[in-house]
Amino acid sequence: MNSCPGMPESAGSAKSPEPPDWSAARQELRDLLATADWSDDLIHDAELALHELFVNAWKHGGSPAPVVVVMLLAGQALRTLRVSVADDSPTLPDQRTRNADPYELSGRGLHLVRSLTHRFGVAPHKRGGKRIWFELDSAA
């Protein structure tokens, strides 16, 4: 039974039931940070934060293949990793309050990203969609 008369059942459900493969983005991130001699702990934190944003872009942002940009910015005393993940939805993420139901199956992702990284935010795209980003610092 179709929810909208005249529309095929698959219309509006471009998202596959499984998240897209994020291994290439993860490997790029890991290679960049390992080459720059970042600690294993910081690499792990960066991977976990990237995974959270990637899956959220697929699950909540409607992107079958989220776009990931990984940059390493170097200053005199500090190196900053900046990772952004773009999705197709203009809806900005809602951060749940600390009083949320502890048995909810989702809703803690941005809290996780906040706890793993030094900064994060959201930037809407002019042509639709948004970019969610985080930054992680390491001593040079």
Side-chain angles (χ1 to χ4, degrees), residues 9 12 14 26 29-30 35 50 56 67 80 83 86 90 96 101 103 110 119 128 133-134 136 139-140:
E9 273 187 84
R26 177 180 184 226
L29 176 71
R30 176 172 276 289
T35 300
L50 168 59
N56 281 353
V67 176
T80 300
V83 174
R96 304 261 171 100
D101 182 351
Y103 299 106
L110 292 181
R119 292 164 296 284
W133 58 269
F134 70 81
L136 191 59

Side-chain angles (χ1 to χ4, degrees), residues 11-67:
S13 61
K15 183 172 73 168
S16 69
E18 294 293 321
D21 184 9
W22 72 293
S23 60
R26 177 180 184 226
Q27 192 62 49
E28 178 184 343
L29 176 71
R30 176 172 276 289
D31 290 348
L32 177 69
L33 297 181
T35 300
D37 292 325
W38 280 47
S39 73
D40 288 341
D41 288 342
L42 286 176
I43 293 172
H44 181 264
D45 290 350
E47 286 178 318
L48 190 52
L50 168 59
H51 184 261
E52 185 61 38
L53 294 187
F54 190 86
V55 170
N56 281 353
W58 166 78
K59 185 176 181 180
H60 303 294
S63 293
V67 176

Side-chain angles (χ1 to χ4, degrees), residues 39-140:
S39 73
D40 288 341
D41 288 342
L42 286 176
I43 293 172
H44 181 264
D45 290 350
E47 286 178 318
L48 190 52
L50 168 59
H51 184 261
E52 185 61 38
L53 294 187
F54 190 86
V55 170
N56 281 353
W58 166 78
K59 185 176 181 180
H60 303 294
S63 293
V67 176
V68 176
V69 176
V70 176
M71 296 183 294
L72 190 58
L73 312 169
Q76 289 181 328
L78 196 65
R79 294 175 295 177
T80 300
L81 169 71
R82 183 176 176 102
V83 174
S84 66
V85 179
D87 67 41
D88 299 328
S89 172
T91 304
L92 299 180
D94 234 359
Q95 291 189 51
R96 304 261 171 100
T97 64
R98 290 180 180 231
N99 298 334
D101 182 351
Y103 299 106
E104 292 275 338
L105 294 178
S106 66
R108 295 175 197 80
L110 292 181
H111 291 293
L112 178 64
V113 172
R114 179 187 300 136
S115 69
L116 292 170
T117 65
H118 293 106
R119 292 164 296 284
F120 82 98
V122 180
H125 280 259
K126 291 179 183 176
R127 59 182 195 277
K130 65 185 165 300
R131 218 173 346 105
I132 302 179
W133 58 269
F134 70 81
E135 292 182 343
L136 191 59
D137 299 328
S138 176

